[in-house]
Amino acid sequence: MERVLIFDTTLRDGEQSPGATMTTSEKLRMAHALDALGVDVMEAGFPVSSPDDFLAVQKIAREVKRPVIAALARAGEKDVTTAARALEEADNPRIHVFIATSPIHLADKLRISEDECIQRAVQAVELARRYVEDVEFSAEDATRTPLPFLARVVEAVVEAGATTVNLPDTVGYAHPSEIDHMIGTIQETVANAASLVLSVHCHNDLGLATANSLAGVRAGARQVECTVNGIGERAGNAALEEVVMALKVRSDLAEVTSGVDTRRIYPTSQLLTRITGLHPQPNKAIVGKNAFAHEAGIHQDGMLKERTTYEIMDPQMVGVPASRLVLGKHSGRHALADRYRVLGHELSQKQVEQAYRLFKLLADQKKEILDEDLLAILHYGAMDDIPAHYKVEVLEVTCGGEWSTATVTLMEEGDLPRTATARGDGPIAATLAAVDELVDERIRLEELTIRAATPGKDAVGEVTLQARIRGITFTGRAASTDVVDAALRAYLNALNKAAQARVLEARALQAAGDLWGV
Ligand code: KIV
Ligand code: ZN
């Protein structure tokens, strides 16, 4: 069977979803997980957009060697040269150039003619080809572009050296029959179509992103652009797990297969969830909490008699662990590392040690440690590598009356511990107010979510928050059996990320002068 290439854009289009901002080290962690998942192409970022993005693409290009590493660039000189620089150390670099082609974008956004659009596209592709052999061109808003003009654009960019041409449904407007027609027409009318890989990139505004991607593949597209958990602008992008599993489960219909290791789907989805704090809806296909839960008695009865009565795929096929094995305070390092392996995480010796230390602390507070507890330990503690600019020394809270009061002692790097007491409308508000008094930052808390990781009164509470610090939103997260403590640590996590971002930015700016200026 023919191969369809899976182009993952979790780190670029996905990261553009509100609340999905990732630090460079989080992107790197995700990039390694995507490599293990088996994606063919990984879009690592949009280097010209910020020093942080540049740095993330550069680091991924340096460290992740198997897949093609793509960097996005608008059709302009500075974008293309910056993308090329970020990709310098990649083994398999791709520059992904785009320009909008629809009448509405040409007239109202770019204010250029059709001829000028083609000229810019061709110049950018030619320039990109001077740096790399592998150049992708995207006609933004392709599905609202008249087909004769779209065909002219495609022909011109292929002539200029584009090896992949992507036809995005940028605003999630198309129906599957239109995608089929668009791909078919381009193949029939573009003279040099046989020499290129056609690609689809579908957004989910009408809930059709997966269906449209499959329609594209059926019509002859051989690359699908998608994101883990379907995160992305507005309603998101086509979900990688849905596209891949639809091709696999219905291999009788699909004419292609993907190179994705489907058993890595669930662990990768979980990693992204913990990094971003964006939990897929419970009924989300493949990776939602209830995707394999059978509630109705009649279904349970059927399942017990024959699993396939109500289940079209084995949960283990997508890496959902078979049982929620319980560990306790007497379990050792080996049992812990083994369980992480079953959950899809191969830990380094250092990570095992760190996870074990946190596991023992938790086991003193909880009788049974479930898989969700282990994942909380891993993602909120053992893998968190943000330097602790601020550390909590003491937290004392009184609540229950009209106002709550919190006393917090913080240690700031290079300084002596300082203490503040504040009142608030509840223990979390009081705690965060005390931190505000201690740190020299204006912080706007945009969102705070508390979620129980496990059932029961002794559940671990996971806190995810978005804090705006000096004009940038940072995601803070932490887990603890005490939710006030978790909220405090999540707040400090966001503050530590802001401090680290400033350090990295200063370093990047020093190294690159004022190259970006955008
Ligand atoms: O949706 C879109 O059109 C895009 C392009 C930049 C590929 O994300
Ligand atoms: Zn997009």
Side-chain angles (χ1 to χ4, degrees):
M1 237 195 286
E2 247 188 280
R3 260 292 280 281
V4 65
L5 301 175
I6 297 297
F7 176 117
D8 179 273
T9 182
T10 307
L11 300 174
R12 200 278 299 168
D13 222 355
E15 210 226 0
Q16 283 174 223
S17 34
T21 322
M22 295 177 233
T23 63
T24 302
S25 66
E26 288 167 343
K27 283 187 191 171
L28 209 53
R29 211 186 304 154
M30 254 330 275
H32 283 293
L34 292 168
D35 182 10
L37 180 65
V39 304
D40 300 284
V41 187
M42 181 187 305
E43 188 161 52
F46 186 8
V48 85
S49 67
S50 72
D52 272 356
D53 244 47
F54 182 93
L55 204 70
V57 175
Q58 198 178 42
K59 283 203 166 169
I60 292 170
R62 191 175 294 150
E63 278 194 25
V64 182
K65 291 302 181 187
R66 182 198 52 82
V68 171
I69 306 296
L72 187 68
R74 286 166 300 192
E77 192 181 334
K78 188 173 168 191
D79 280 48
V80 174
T81 51
T82 309
R85 287 197 42 207
L87 289 172
E88 261 163 13
E89 292 177 62
D91 279 5
N92 304 300
R94 172 181 293 188
I95 298 181
H96 178 190
V97 172
F98 78 100
I99 192 166
T101 52
S102 64
I104 185 167
H105 279 244
L106 291 188
D108 296 328
K109 184 180 86 175
L110 298 174
R111 304 209 168 106
I112 56 172
S113 67
E114 288 189 344
D115 284 348
E116 203 176 338
C117 169
I118 293 186
Q119 196 192 356
R120 282 196 199 177
V122 165
Q123 276 173 355
V125 169
E126 282 174 351
L127 179 61
R129 274 303 298 254
R130 282 196 226 141
Y131 295 100
V132 294
E133 304 245 301
D134 184 346
V135 173
E136 172 167 336
F137 172 78
S138 280
E140 190 188 12
D141 210 14
T143 51
R144 293 193 299 171
T145 302
L147 285 172
F149 178 58
L150 190 62
R152 271 182 65 207
V153 176
V154 176
E155 202 158 307
V157 294
V158 176
E159 190 121 345
T163 40
T164 299
V165 171
N166 180 41
L167 302 176
D169 185 24
T170 304
V171 289
Y173 177 70
H175 273 217
S177 60
E178 291 172 301
I179 299 283
D180 178 75
H181 182 59
M182 177 178 72
I183 299 287
T185 307
I186 294 300
Q187 280 174 320
E188 278 160 24
T189 57
V190 171
N192 41 15
S195 67
L196 77 134
V197 174
L198 273 176
S199 166
V200 279
H201 172 119
C202 301
H203 280 267
N204 205 29
D205 300 66
L206 293 173
L208 292 171
T210 300
N212 282 339
S213 305
L214 296 175
V217 171
R218 252 188 110 68
R222 286 298 174 262
Q223 176 177 284
V224 175
E225 304 198 353
C226 45
T227 60
V228 175
N229 295 348
I231 65 165
E233 286 272 17
R234 309 179 309 278
N237 290 58
L240 178 148
E241 62 276 8
E242 294 176 14
V243 173
V244 166
M245 291 315 290
L247 293 175
K248 185 165 175 130
V249 172
R250 297 308 309 272
S251 56
D252 55 325
L253 291 180
E255 287 140 7
V256 296
T257 137
S258 84
V260 165
D261 175 357
T262 61
R263 289 161 310 166
R264 302 287 322 166
I265 285 180
Y266 189 72
T268 313
S269 156
Q270 286 285 306
L271 176 63
L272 181 69
T273 301
R274 308 288 159 160
I275 286 177
T276 59
L278 298 174
H279 290 262
Q281 76 218 45
N283 58 327
K284 164 83 181 63
I286 322 287
V287 295
K289 192 163 131 271
N290 297 344
F292 297 98
H294 299 273
E295 194 70 24
I298 193 166
H299 286 207
Q300 287 173 353
D301 181 51
M303 284 283 294
L304 289 174
K305 289 177 177 142
E306 168 53 48
R307 189 185 62 77
T308 54
T309 48
Y310 286 102
E311 209 163 74
I312 59 164
M313 58 195 139
D314 183 340
Q316 281 156 56
M317 210 167 139
V318 295
V320 175
S323 71
R324 306 189 332 151
L325 194 96
V326 175
L327 297 181
K329 80 198 267 179
H330 300 297
S331 308
R333 286 177 180 74
H334 265 102
L336 186 68
D338 268 1
R339 192 59 197 160
Y340 275 123
R341 206 163 290 126
V342 174
L343 293 171
H345 300 279
E346 191 68 51
L347 300 196
S348 65
Q349 191 65 32
K350 188 169 157 228
Q351 285 169 335
V352 172
E353 282 310 319
Q354 206 166 342
Y356 188 66
R357 190 178 53 76
L358 297 170
F359 166 76
K360 289 300 250 186
L361 287 175
L362 188 60
D364 277 341
Q365 290 157 19
K366 286 191 80 185
K367 249 195 1 255
E368 295 177 334
I369 308 286
L370 303 177
D371 287 345
E372 289 82 351
D373 294 314
L374 296 184
L375 291 173
I377 286 173
L378 187 67
H379 296 301
Y380 299 110
M383 273 187 167
D384 203 348
D385 50 6
I386 297 293
H389 187 77
Y390 298 104
K391 256 194 215 156
V392 56
E393 297 256 298
V394 178
L395 166 65
E396 278 166 7
V397 178
T398 349
C399 59
E402 199 184 341
W403 290 97
S404 299
T405 309
T407 299
V408 175
T409 303
L410 282 191
M411 183 86 163
E412 186 174 347
E413 200 183 16
D415 212 341
L416 292 171
R418 289 189 306 125
T419 301
T421 299
R423 285 196 324 167
D425 186 6
I428 291 180
T431 303
L432 303 191
V435 175
D436 287 347
E437 286 185 19
L438 290 171
V439 300
D440 189 19
E441 296 281 7
R442 281 170 62 83
I443 312 161
R444 198 174 80 222
L445 186 63
E446 295 181 327
E447 204 174 304
L448 187 148
T449 322
I450 303 176
R451 185 177 166 275
T454 46
K457 289 187 189 135
D458 60 356
V460 166
E462 297 176 346
V463 173
T464 307
L465 53 81
Q466 307 285 336
R468 200 155 180 85
I469 303 165
R470 300 193 196 184
I472 303 175
T473 302
F474 292 91
T475 302
R477 42 175 214 275
S480 167
T481 46
D482 174 342
V483 290
V484 183
D485 177 53
L488 169 60
R489 289 176 196 279
Y491 206 52
L492 294 185
N493 184 234
L495 275 160
N496 284 333
K497 282 181 180 173
Q500 176 70 355
R502 281 198 295 280
V503 172
L504 292 178
E505 187 158 355
R507 260 189 232 152
L509 284 175
Q510 202 178 348
D514 57 353
L515 176 70
W516 296 276
V518 290

